[in-house]
Amino acid sequence: MTTPTPYPNPQVLQNGINQPRKEWILEIEMNGKVKFEHLMNTIYNQLGICHKVLSVNVEYLNGRSFGSVQLYINVSSDDFEQLEYYLYKNKLLSTTVEYVCRKYL
């Protein structure tokens, strides 16, 4: 018998229930202030945002991460605001583009 894996942060998930979600492509410029691994861990485990890594171009210099990463995220507006605040607080530049996918019948 296996036990289900708990979600990273149940409070964040409960707050996002029944809120409309949008799909975004998020590009983050790594400027050496936050390690890439720490950024990915924070987005998933602390903010509770599942993401798909689309591309990564990160180099390490003296233990610091420089470059850029593109993520696909599907989040509520509240979760998106939390993520933007985290990036702003850590002085990480980011750009977002709303992802729209056409579905053909």
Side-chain angles (χ1 to χ4, degrees):
M1 184 169 146
T2 60
T3 57
T5 305
Y7 286 103
N9 191 341
Q11 287 180 328
V12 172
L13 294 174
Q14 286 178 350
N15 292 340
I17 293 175
N18 296 329
Q19 290 185 353
R21 301 172 73 79
K22 284 190 176 182
E23 298 177 67
W24 298 94
I25 305 265
L26 173 66
E27 183 169 357
I28 303 169
E29 293 294 323
M30 303 297 297
N31 57 10
K33 298 195 184 296
V34 175
K35 289 184 178 183
F36 173 72
E37 295 82 5
H38 181 71
L39 174 67
M40 295 294 105
N41 182 51
T42 301
I43 290 173
Y44 182 72
N45 289 325
Q46 292 180 7
L47 298 176
I49 297 174
C50 294
H51 58 275
K52 292 181 184 176
V53 177
L54 301 177
S55 77
V56 177
N57 183 14
V58 174
E59 295 184 21
Y60 297 93
L61 181 63
N62 296 328
R64 295 178 172 196
S65 303
F66 295 91
S68 64
V69 59
Q70 287 185 343
L71 304 175
Y72 164 83
I73 55 175
N74 185 351
V75 294
S76 67
S77 59
D78 289 344
D79 290 341
F80 189 71
E81 285 178 18
Q82 286 181 354
L83 177 57
E84 282 187 318
Y85 177 74
Y86 171 79
L87 296 174
Y88 172 78
K89 183 176 79 172
N90 288 285
K91 298 181 173 114
L92 294 169
L93 296 176
S94 65
T95 56
T96 54
V97 175
E98 187 172 356
Y99 178 76
V100 179
C101 181
R102 288 188 170 184
K103 296 181 182 178
Y104 298 98
L105 300 176

